[in-house]
Amino acid sequence: MTLPFTIQAQAGAARFASIHTAHGDVETPAFMPVGTAGTVKAVPQDILEDLGSENLGAQIILGNTYHLYLRPGHELVRKLGGLHKFMSWERALLTDSGGFQVFSLSELRKVSEEGVSFRSHLDGTSHLFTPERSMEIQIALGADIVMAFDECTEHPAEKERARQSMEMTLRWGRRSKEYFEAHKHEVPWSESHPLRKQRAKDGAPAVLHESHTAPALFGIVQGGMYADLRRESAERTVELDFPGYAIGGLSVGESRAKTMEMIAATLEVLPKDKPRYVMGVGYPEEIVQYAAMGVDMMDCVLPTRAARHGLLFTSEGRINIKNARYAQDQSPADPKCGCRVCARYTRAYLRHLFVSAEPLAAVLNTIHNLAFYLDTMRTVRHAIRLGDLSGMLSGSVSLA
Ligand SMILES: [Zn+2]
């Protein structure tokens, strides 16, 4: 099982690279917008495709297994051709394992060796997620990158509890891989991938790299807030041999210094020639910092969720658009931002939309915030290519 990952430039520990998926290349370090229920809330797919100042757009977005399983149901999505086709998104998709949402959203959950039984937060019905079930659902959805089923250790957790949880994640990781390897070619696009059709038309044998006919499965490192457990989890997850590795269970209420310490301890152990993904982070200055440490992929609901609450990320820091001081402000949300919202609308108008509870407020605020995040990562990649990230690490993020 491989996922082609080409490192093109390095600056210190940071890498500029490309992940080659069946649905296009993903330049890294990458920030991945979260598309919870088959939609990045408030933003249409065609706008996601050209977000940011070079119109590069989002090359990869997330889908949430827990939400899509409950509604509309993975069997329906499979029947309709998979999540790419269902939501009309031809670029790369990553799905999470469902574990994190079960831990954070569902009621009456019960963890056993077999998996997690829980009640839906929508209608109270009973469900069971196991590693095998999570793989089955993610393969039916048809993501390009599938995540192993893990237990997100609660915070705070005593060391013995964190160790038990880490051991469970390792056993579930092994079961995830076994099921995945046996079923990965069942993704809805395996036989109908555009490259396969093109080769058949050209008369060339339809032999494709495995990454064009099957998704890739990433392992997940846990270990709570204990550096030695994180290192051990990383070593033993690497022994299971995945084409990429995620660091889970962070950003759950710990200090930022602790998050960094856990990431640093884990990165020491993870192989340098595979993509490394920190799940659920972070603020713009954090994602720059983690990219500098050698993290290749990150995702977070922060830019989209904050946007719906009127919080905008800008090159001048965070602004709360509902503030009365913006009532007559004729400047764009961020004077240095090249996004379509900043090119067209004033802070005064954005404030008016927000305080009037107009749906367009969420749309415009989200487009700007995501453009800011994607531009931040584009600038990071540019700096890595130039061999120097130091300018981006001093104080606030400025977009060159
Ligand atoms: Zn903007």
Side-chain angles (χ1 to χ4, degrees):
M1 180 170 59
T2 57
L3 178 69
F5 178 64
T6 316
I7 298 176
Q8 291 157 44
Q10 283 181 268
R15 318 93 79 70
F16 168 62
S18 284
I19 299 172
H20 310 282
T21 80
H23 292 85
D25 290 352
V26 178
E27 289 188 352
T28 63
F31 177 80
M32 305 183 283
V34 179
T36 306
T39 160
V40 174
K41 284 190 198 305
V43 187
Q45 279 69 316
D46 58 319
I47 292 183
L48 288 173
E49 282 167 1
D50 66 5
L51 272 180
S53 50
E54 281 179 2
N55 295 342
L56 192 59
Q59 295 175 311
I60 181 168
I61 60 173
L62 256 75
N64 282 129
T65 291
Y66 171 87
H67 290 283
L68 291 164
Y69 160 80
L70 289 178
R71 194 171 57 193
H74 62 293
E75 287 302 345
L76 180 79
V77 175
R78 188 210 300 263
K79 207 168 129 193
L80 297 176
L83 188 55
H84 287 94
K85 198 168 170 207
F86 180 53
M87 67 180 287
S88 185
W89 177 256
E90 292 183 353
R91 298 186 182 181
L93 276 173
L94 182 151
T95 44
D96 61 6
S97 71
F100 183 76
Q101 270 79 26
V102 167
F103 287 93
S104 58
L105 287 178
S106 68
E107 291 161 13
L108 299 170
R109 66 171 189 274
K110 230 167 126 184
V111 183
S112 67
E113 189 64 36
E114 188 188 9
V116 189
S117 59
F118 61 96
R119 283 188 189 274
S120 158
H121 74 290
L122 296 174
D123 59 10
T125 49
S126 297
H127 303 268
L128 174 68
F129 272 2
T130 63
E132 293 78 14
R133 184 74 167 147
S134 171
M135 296 303 105
E136 182 199 339
I137 298 167
Q138 293 184 72
I139 289 167
L141 295 172
D144 299 280
I145 298 175
V146 163
M147 301 306 297
F149 190 66
D150 65 327
E151 185 183 37
C152 181
T153 314
E154 68 281 0
H155 176 74
E158 296 292 328
K159 190 161 186 182
E160 194 42 43
R161 161 66 197 140
R163 169 171 285 285
Q164 283 170 3
S165 175
M166 177 198 88
E167 296 282 356
M168 180 83 95
T169 286
L170 283 162
R171 292 192 296 275
W172 285 357
R174 186 184 302 275
R175 282 168 56 190
S176 295
K177 189 177 172 185
E178 275 170 19
Y179 187 95
F180 177 84
E181 287 298 329
H183 296 273
K184 63 186 174 186
H185 290 290
E186 294 165 15
V187 278
W189 44 265
S190 188
E191 294 299 320
S192 61
H193 190 271
L195 269 176
R196 188 184 283 268
K197 280 190 193 154
Q198 184 60 41
R199 297 217 183 167
K201 208 173 89 192
D202 295 346
V207 179
L208 298 171
H209 188 278
E210 189 177 43
S211 67
H212 292 130
T213 59
L217 174 66
F218 280 22
I220 304 183
V221 173
Q222 290 285 349
M225 299 303 157
Y226 303 95
D228 56 338
L229 290 185
R230 287 276 169 187
R231 273 191 289 270
E232 182 181 340
S233 173
E235 276 163 16
R236 293 170 60 191
T237 307
V238 171
E239 281 169 18
L240 293 175
D241 189 22
F242 293 98
Y245 297 92
I247 307 177
L250 295 177
S251 236
V252 289
E254 78 282 11
S255 69
R256 197 177 288 184
K258 187 54 92 177
T259 315
M260 273 185 68
E261 184 195 338
M262 294 304 110
I263 293 173
T266 310
L267 288 178
E268 277 173 28
V269 180
L270 293 181
K272 290 188 167 40
D273 61 347
K274 303 264 173 79
R276 307 186 294 196
Y277 163 27
V278 177
M279 309 178 83
V281 294
Y283 283 93
E285 63 275 17
E286 285 179 280
I287 61 173
V288 171
Q289 181 73 55
Y290 303 151
M293 292 165 70
V295 172
D296 307 297
M297 304 158 74
M298 287 164 272
D299 79 282
C300 194
V301 293
L302 186 60
T304 41
R305 183 175 290 167
R308 299 195 301 278
H309 291 98
L311 189 68
L312 302 178
F313 295 98
T314 79
S315 58
E316 298 166 351
R318 293 162 217 167
I319 68 172
N320 197 332
I321 200 66
K322 67 174 176 249
N323 200 310
R325 68 198 278 202
Y326 302 120
Q328 299 185 52
D329 191 334
Q330 302 262 44
S331 55
D334 183 352
K336 287 189 186 158
C337 177
C339 87
R340 63 172 77 209
V341 174
C342 292
R344 184 156 187 167
Y345 305 105
T346 63
R347 288 175 176 179
Y349 181 62
L350 294 178
R351 175 180 186 271
H352 158 72
L353 292 178
F354 188 83
V355 298
S356 314
E358 285 291 337
L360 190 58
V363 174
L364 298 184
N365 292 347
T366 307
I367 291 172
H368 164 76
N369 273 358
L370 282 179
F372 182 80
Y373 265 65
L374 294 178
D375 276 347
T376 299
M377 282 293 110
R378 184 182 54 79
T379 310
V380 164
R381 294 193 296 269
H382 184 66
I384 297 171
R385 281 200 297 263
L386 296 177
D388 184 12
L389 256 174
S390 56
M392 292 205 68
L393 291 168
S394 49
S396 66
V397 178
S398 71
L399 297 178

